[in-house]
Structure formats: structure tokens, C-alpha cells
């Protein structure tokens, strides 16, 4: 397994990571790895979605709007999870 070292972490961010790790009863490394993995998955998902062909949904846009709202809510919940 590779090692990654991060220098110059702002004190405030370091403290937030420490508090979150303590709340979750895990290491700071576990918190950082989970956050990095989540961000990479989010990036890859958006990249896949951007490369999908456009689908004509016809005149009924309510389904698309409901999906967009559900995705926005999921993103908000993921962001809340990442905050201390």
C-alpha cells in the first residue's frame, strides 16, 4: 500500500479533521481517505454523466426535475456528512 503525505494543512482544517475523527471514533487518515474516495467517485460519476447521450424526454419535464431535486438533496446530505 502506498503512502501519501500532505504538508501545510491549515490548522483550522486539521482541527476539524481531528474533531470529526473523534466523533466518528476513527483515525484522521480514515476520514481523509473516505473524503478523497467520495470526491473521486463524485468526479467520475459526473464525468460519466457528461459523456452520456442526450435523451429526449418529450414534453413531460417533471420527472427530470424530480430527479434533479433528488440528486441535489443527495449531494447536500453528502456534504453535510463531510462537515464536522
Amino acid at each position: 500500500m502506498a503512502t501519501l503525505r500532505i504538508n501545510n494543512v491549515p490548522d483550522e482544517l486539521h482541527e476539524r479533521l481531528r474533531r470529526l475523527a473523534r466523533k466518528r471514533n476513527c483515525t484522521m487518515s480514515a476520514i481523509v481517505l473516505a473524503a478523497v474516495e467520495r470526491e473521486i467517485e463524485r468526479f467520475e460519476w459526473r464525468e460519466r454523466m457528461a459523456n452520456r447521450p442526450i435523451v429526449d424526454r418529450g414534453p413531460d419535464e417533471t420527472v427530470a426535475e424530480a430527479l434533479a431535486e433528488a440528486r441535489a438533496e443527495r449531494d447536500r446530505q453528502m456534504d453535510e456528512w463531510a462537515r464536522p
Side-chain angles (χ1 to χ4, degrees), residues 23-57:
K23 281 183 183 179
R24 301 258 167 127
N25 196 29
C26 64
T27 65
M28 288 174 56
S29 292
I31 294 293
V32 171
L33 287 173
V36 169
E37 180 67 27
R38 192 172 48 254
E39 192 59 31
I40 290 172
E41 286 174 1
R42 194 182 288 182
F43 173 81
E44 291 171 345
W45 181 83
R46 286 184 176 134
E47 196 172 57
R48 285 193 308 273
M49 293 300 109
N51 291 325
R52 289 180 53 186
I54 296 174
V55 176
D56 181 13
R57 294 184 184 100

Side-chain angles (χ1 to χ4, degrees), residues 61-72:
E61 290 294 323
T62 57
V63 172
E65 290 169 3
L67 282 172
E69 289 174 17
R71 288 176 179 145

Side-chain angles (χ1 to χ4, degrees), residues 9-19 28:
V9 176
D11 292 338
E12 182 182 333
L13 177 57
H14 187 271
E15 180 60 24
R16 290 172 63 198
L17 287 168
R18 189 187 64 74
R19 282 195 313 261
M28 288 174 56

